Amino acid sequence: MIMAEDMQQIVASVAQQSQSEEQSQIETMQLIVFTLDGEEYAVPITDINEILTSQEVTTMPNAPAFVSGIINVRGTIAVVIDLEKRFGLQRENQAVSEHIILTEVDKSTFGVLVDQVLEVLTVPKDSVKTTPELLSTKINAEYMSGVVVLDEDKTNESKTSEDSRLIVLLNLPKLLQTDELLTVTTAIDSISPSANSV
């Protein structure tokens, strides 16, 4: 015969197991979070190949204004994009880009200059919301995948929506798929045998 105490333990165990299964079913995604001109942005970690400390960039003649130049990453030539110029930002405070985020789009390697990579953040997929029309950001909406909304302190019942952390989720592939960049990568492909000396 099952005693009352044993029954309570069984019920508690089943409840705990159900809770664990429910938590494990919450789909999450990992993001690389970085800053640009005082705002927080993120890209899915699956879109990133590597993060480099900023280094000297070799300029390219006749390249678009937002192309800083090229770098050699272990024999692979990457076109370095200046997000500040790409988005036409008018900075309030000048800053030195500390990191370059490497990504690959259509078999071409790109480096994206950012002010600083902050963290790798795991968030529930349902925390990504569609971009509100009234969201005040310096980035064109067509390059955004949405906005990550995080409540930093869920234990604070007096917390308001204004206290939530908002991170703009960028669509890197769309950002880098332009005719201007296609021209640049085609030019690099044509000189790739000698590019290793960069």
Side-chain angles (χ1 to χ4, degrees), residues 84-97:
E84 177 184 349
K85 293 179 180 176
R86 182 70 181 89
F87 295 133
L89 299 181
Q90 299 296 321
R91 283 185 182 268
E92 297 176 3
N93 300 301
Q94 290 301 315
V96 177
S97 297

Side-chain angles (χ1 to χ4, degrees), residues 64-129:
F66 59 84
V67 174
S68 293
I70 56 176
I71 57 174
N72 188 331
V73 184
R74 296 180 297 278
T76 299
I77 301 303
V79 178
V80 179
I81 307 300
D82 187 332
L83 277 189
E84 177 184 349
K85 293 179 180 176
R86 182 70 181 89
F87 295 133
L89 299 181
Q90 299 296 321
R91 283 185 182 268
E92 297 176 3
N93 300 301
Q94 290 301 315
V96 177
S97 297
E98 294 185 22
H99 295 108
I100 298 174
I101 294 176
L102 284 186
T103 185
E104 187 174 321
V105 177
D106 294 336
K107 298 182 180 179
S108 296
T109 302
F110 295 94
V112 179
L113 281 172
V114 301
D115 289 355
Q116 184 181 33
V117 173
L118 298 179
E119 61 183 320
V120 177
L121 192 63
T122 300
V123 300
K125 285 188 176 181
D126 62 7
S127 69
V128 180
K129 311 299 182 185

Side-chain angles (χ1 to χ4, degrees), residues 62-191:
N62 304 318
F66 59 84
V67 174
S68 293
I70 56 176
I71 57 174
N72 188 331
V73 184
R74 296 180 297 278
T76 299
I77 301 303
V79 178
V80 179
I81 307 300
D82 187 332
L83 277 189
E84 177 184 349
K85 293 179 180 176
R86 182 70 181 89
F87 295 133
L89 299 181
Q90 299 296 321
R91 283 185 182 268
E92 297 176 3
N93 300 301
Q94 290 301 315
V96 177
S97 297
E98 294 185 22
H99 295 108
I100 298 174
I101 294 176
L102 284 186
T103 185
E104 187 174 321
V105 177
D106 294 336
K107 298 182 180 179
S108 296
T109 302
F110 295 94
V112 179
L113 281 172
V114 301
D115 289 355
Q116 184 181 33
V117 173
L118 298 179
E119 61 183 320
V120 177
L121 192 63
T122 300
V123 300
K125 285 188 176 181
D126 62 7
S127 69
V128 180
K129 311 299 182 185
T130 55
T131 308
E133 292 182 8
L134 298 178
L135 177 68
S136 175
T137 181
K138 306 176 179 101
I139 306 301
N140 192 314
E142 68 176 304
Y143 301 125
M144 291 189 267
S145 297
V147 178
V148 180
V149 182
L150 299 175
D151 290 326
E152 296 285 73
D153 182 7
K154 293 183 178 179
T155 61
N156 186 350
E157 295 181 358
S158 63
K159 198 169 183 67
T160 67
S161 59
E162 293 181 359
D163 297 317
S164 298
R165 183 181 180 189
L166 296 179
I167 304 172
V168 176
L169 188 60
L170 293 180
N171 185 333
L172 268 190
K174 188 167 186 178
L175 174 65
L176 298 172
Q177 288 172 326
T178 68
D179 292 337
E180 291 173 295
L181 288 178
L182 178 61
T183 302
V184 173
T185 54
T186 301
I188 289 174
D189 289 341
S190 68
I191 62 168

